Amino acid sequence: MGAARQVLVVDADAALLAHVRATLEDAGYAVQAIPESGEEVHQLSDRAVAPDVVLVDLDTVGAVGAEVVQAYRAQSLVHAPVIVLSGTDDAGDRAALVGAEDLLLKPVDAGELLEHVGRYARGVQACLQRHVFQQQKKRLTR
């Protein structure tokens, strides 16, 4: 069995963070949960383990969630898929503006959360496997 898929969750709502963390960990994911108010949101690319999927809240006061996504994409060489968490009417537009791959509406349903995260975590794994295969193929054809 391989290493657990890494999911980074950034949200100001402690109760939501706890719910998302518990749901994902029960399903076998390794979860890094960060409150949006924490200073560590600005050093996402410095994390020891790169996430396979990033969940980020865009509903906080100010543009913290959008800034987190922009900073993450600017700092990281490899970008994990970003899933936006939101409960606002304009959530789809806001998710598109930050270049998110997906959107989950609050309140977050556990089954829907697992479905969306699983879809992107599998996609990341498939991309990595294709890359390794292509590298091996290049070495064999030299």
Side-chain angles (χ1 to χ4, degrees), residues 59-77:
D59 291 346
T60 58
V61 177
V64 175
E67 290 172 5
V68 167
V69 175
Q70 291 167 346
Y72 169 71
R73 291 219 163 118
Q75 296 172 4
S76 299
L77 295 177

Side-chain angles (χ1 to χ4, degrees), residues 4-125:
R5 300 283 178 266
Q6 302 288 324
V7 180
L8 175 64
V9 185
V10 182
D11 198 303
D13 182 344
L16 180 70
L17 273 178
H19 167 67
V20 169
R21 174 182 281 228
T23 300
L24 292 173
E25 286 179 346
D26 287 349
Y29 291 95
V31 179
Q32 303 170 56
I34 300 174
E36 279 187 349
S37 58
E39 186 59 34
E40 59 270 18
V41 299
H42 300 291
Q43 288 95 26
L44 293 181
S45 66
D46 296 339
R47 307 204 71 73
V49 179
D52 295 306
V53 178
V54 176
L55 297 169
V56 65
D57 174 26
L58 291 185
D59 291 346
T60 58
V61 177
V64 175
E67 290 172 5
V68 167
V69 175
Q70 291 167 346
Y72 169 71
R73 291 219 163 118
Q75 296 172 4
S76 299
L77 295 177
V78 178
H79 302 141
V82 173
I83 300 173
V84 164
L85 304 171
S86 182
T88 63
D89 292 337
D90 63 345
D93 293 337
R94 294 172 63 217
L97 283 174
V98 298
E101 281 73 17
D102 207 345
L103 168 68
L104 274 172
L105 294 175
K106 293 179 182 182
V108 177
D109 174 74
E112 196 174 4
L113 172 67
L114 293 173
E115 177 187 329
H116 287 249
V117 169
R119 180 182 322 134
Y120 290 101
R122 283 189 303 276
V124 167
Q125 182 61 28

